[in-house]
Amino acid sequence: MISVLSLTPFWIELVDIKILKESARKEVDSERKRLVEIAKWMYENPELGSEEFKVYALLTEELEKQGARVERQLLGIPTAFCASFKGKKGPRVAVLAEYDALPGVGHGCGHNHIAASAIGSGIAAAKAAKDLPGEILVVGTPAEEGRGPSAGSKVIMANKGFWDDVDAALMLHPSTRWGVGGKALGIWRLRMEFKGQTSHAAASPEKGVNALNAATLAYMASHMLRQEARRDANLVIHGIISEGGLASNIIPDRAVCEFGVRSSDENYLATMVDKVEKCAEGAAIATGAKVTVTKKKLYSSMKPNIPLIKVLWQNYADQGVKVDDWQETQAGIPMASTDFGDVSRRCPSTGSYISIGPEGTPGHSRQLADCSVTKEGLDAMIIGTKALAMTLVELLAKPELLKEARDYFTSSK
Ligand SMILES: [Zn+2]
Ligand SMILES: [Zn+2]
């Protein structure tokens, strides 16, 4: 029989964590007005990637006002920051903010919610966990949509080792469902520049080398690779011909193709990128044109961390929202790519998604941006902020969870 005495410490610990999480939720409630203001202000004042100067100033000032030590222009990235709430020496848990908008559709990816929830959860968790050892970081990561010199800033940070001594990284993304975890595709970008020879299209076609024909062949050949695609690796090849001549009576001497190649399997992705490159080389040989291919890995695929997924999932479920079963989410087909993938390959990480509008609302749309400022959308943002804050507190209060997340990270691929 277990004595009452031996149960007592465990019971006290449980109550303490419950109280800590409850206090994190209350802190978020008391911040609601300010967080809503920030989300709405961003909706009204969208800034494109690498140019998020106004929102960068707003977020860093807010964090400083709430007692964080803010490092601006983090790692030389003009609109990146790291705000730290430091307790006694201990683990470092991070929540990530994004704040870039999209051309034409403003906050059509809902990054105004990502920013508001990150600073809201960081501030609330820091207040609730002020007596716990450890450090809470709110990291400002600009240009997630891949625009300008800070494009994919999380990758720049990853390459400089920023995430290596972070014990857990969390964030949320607006959607039309509730869920935690999920995969993301790795992505490479290829640019093919074909060089030919101009000539009169009717009077002297034999003197020309048609660069557009080469580009068209490369475009078609790349599409034909799809038939051989490994279906379990979620291959996506998408491309455009961005330049294809200046006038129809001149044989074009220059044509450019731009391609994205994506997959959930990192090694397979590299193989397929090489094959797309060969399509360009083959097209050049066939037409007598010259080709220069430049290729660059943009984002890594997402490395899931099941222990973190379970904790964050529970903190959504405990608030009564209908969260997708995380096992089903993990088994689902990855749809897009994110620079958060590179964070997940450097430290235990998980994302989550919040339902801010009716199912069927397209991502990257005016409609999704509008959802971010409705009552329903803003309520969802507050629930997400609470789930992040509760999880940050729980991770600091239970170092064994962080150890489990680290062990999983080290032993999985
Ligand atoms: Zn997006
Ligand atoms: Zn996004």
Side-chain angles (χ1 to χ4, degrees):
M1 194 179 146
I2 307 166
S3 77
V4 175
L5 258 183
S6 71
L7 278 174
T8 307
F10 178 62
W11 180 75
I12 286 176
E13 187 189 304
L14 267 184
V15 171
D16 279 351
I17 288 167
K18 228 176 137 196
I19 291 171
L20 279 170
K21 289 208 277 185
E22 189 51 40
S23 113
R25 282 167 73 158
K26 284 197 179 129
E27 292 292 350
V28 174
D29 277 329
S30 63
E31 285 172 35
R32 180 186 169 109
K33 194 166 159 277
R34 183 67 183 132
L35 299 181
V36 165
E37 266 171 23
I38 290 170
K40 285 187 173 171
W41 183 90
M42 289 177 69
Y43 170 84
E44 300 290 348
N45 300 276
E47 293 169 289
L48 298 177
S50 300
E51 293 171 11
E52 315 97 324
F53 293 105
K54 283 192 242 159
V55 67
Y56 164 79
L58 178 92
L59 299 176
T60 48
E61 276 162 30
E62 186 67 31
L63 285 157
E64 222 159 40
K65 226 191 301 172
Q66 300 286 344
R69 195 182 58 80
V70 180
E71 191 180 339
R72 289 178 167 80
Q73 299 184 351
L74 182 67
L75 303 168
I77 304 166
T79 52
F81 65 84
C82 179
S84 153
F85 295 94
K86 217 169 191 163
K88 284 167 266 168
K89 198 174 155 45
R92 305 172 86 217
V93 292
V95 60
L96 276 54
E98 293 172 5
Y99 29 88
D100 56 328
L102 291 158
V105 292
H107 273 294
C109 204
H111 292 187
N112 50 338
H113 278 195
I114 304 181
S117 65
I119 72 155
S121 59
I123 292 166
K127 286 182 180 165
K130 61 180 185 310
D131 298 325
L132 292 175
E135 187 177 4
I136 293 169
L137 306 174
V138 181
V139 189
T141 63
E144 191 274 337
E145 300 287 1
R147 184 180 174 278
S150 308
S153 62
K154 297 184 197 69
V155 181
I156 304 173
M157 295 177 195
N159 292 340
K160 293 189 176 177
F162 179 82
W163 308 107
D164 296 349
D165 57 353
V166 171
D167 294 289
L170 309 172
M171 64 180 293
L172 64 70
H173 199 295
S175 166
T176 55
R177 297 185 68 87
W178 295 95
V180 177
K183 297 180 197 154
L185 300 166
I187 178 169
W188 283 67
R189 184 178 286 164
L190 285 97
R191 183 179 162 89
M192 308 163 179
E193 289 186 48
F194 294 94
K195 175 111 192 64
Q197 171 63 52
T198 59
S199 191
H200 194 294
S204 56
E206 73 284 359
K207 291 181 183 152
V209 176
N210 192 324
L212 176 60
N213 282 350
T216 310
L217 262 184
Y219 184 81
M220 294 310 295
S222 303
H223 280 285
M224 285 176 194
L225 291 174
R226 289 204 177 105
Q227 197 203 354
E228 302 164 15
R230 246 181 61 200
R231 282 189 272 175
D232 64 315
N234 304 295
L235 181 74
V236 186
I237 300 174
H238 48 87
I240 56 167
I241 298 176
S242 55
E243 290 178 47
L246 299 171
S248 66
N249 60 355
I250 308 168
I251 288 179
D253 67 341
R254 177 179 163 80
V256 179
C257 288
E258 286 172 46
F259 273 91
V261 184
R262 310 190 196 211
S263 170
S264 49
D265 182 320
E266 293 280 309
N267 294 332
Y268 178 66
L269 177 56
T271 307
M272 293 313 288
V273 167
D274 287 345
K275 284 200 177 190
V276 174
E277 185 177 14
K278 290 270 183 303
C279 291
E281 290 167 3
I285 291 169
T287 56
K290 297 244 175 326
V291 67
T292 310
V293 180
T294 42
K295 50 183 184 174
K296 185 174 186 260
K297 182 177 180 183
L298 294 184
Y299 301 160
S300 299
S301 58
M302 192 79 193
K303 177 172 171 171
N305 192 287
I306 303 300
L308 282 186
I309 287 173
K310 285 184 183 171
V311 185
L312 184 55
W313 187 91
Q314 196 61 51
N315 285 325
Y316 274 100
D318 285 352
Q319 296 183 72
V321 285
K322 215 173 158 297
V323 205
D324 290 344
D325 181 323
W326 65 263
Q327 275 152 313
E328 279 172 29
T329 303
Q330 284 316 113
I333 296 172
M335 306 303 274
S337 308
T338 168
D339 57 1
F340 193 43
D342 291 80
V343 180
S344 77
R345 301 214 159 257
R346 297 301 181 115
C347 69
S349 311
T350 189
S352 54
Y353 43 98
I354 58 171
S355 172
I356 68 164
E359 232 176 297
T361 310
H364 286 196
S365 70
R366 238 306 116 203
Q367 294 93 313
L368 194 85
D370 292 343
C371 290
S372 78
V373 290
T374 59
K375 163 113 181 31
E376 183 194 353
L378 291 163
D379 284 347
M381 187 265 285
I382 293 296
I383 291 171
T385 307
K386 287 179 181 172
L388 292 173
M390 288 154 77
T391 307
L392 290 170
V393 167
E394 187 164 359
L395 293 174
L396 288 188
K398 290 158 103 179
E400 67 273 20
L401 275 180
L402 286 174
K403 187 182 175 306
E404 210 188 315
R406 176 64 62 181
D407 289 348
Y408 189 92
F409 175 81
T410 319
S411 62
S412 59
K413 67 169 187 135

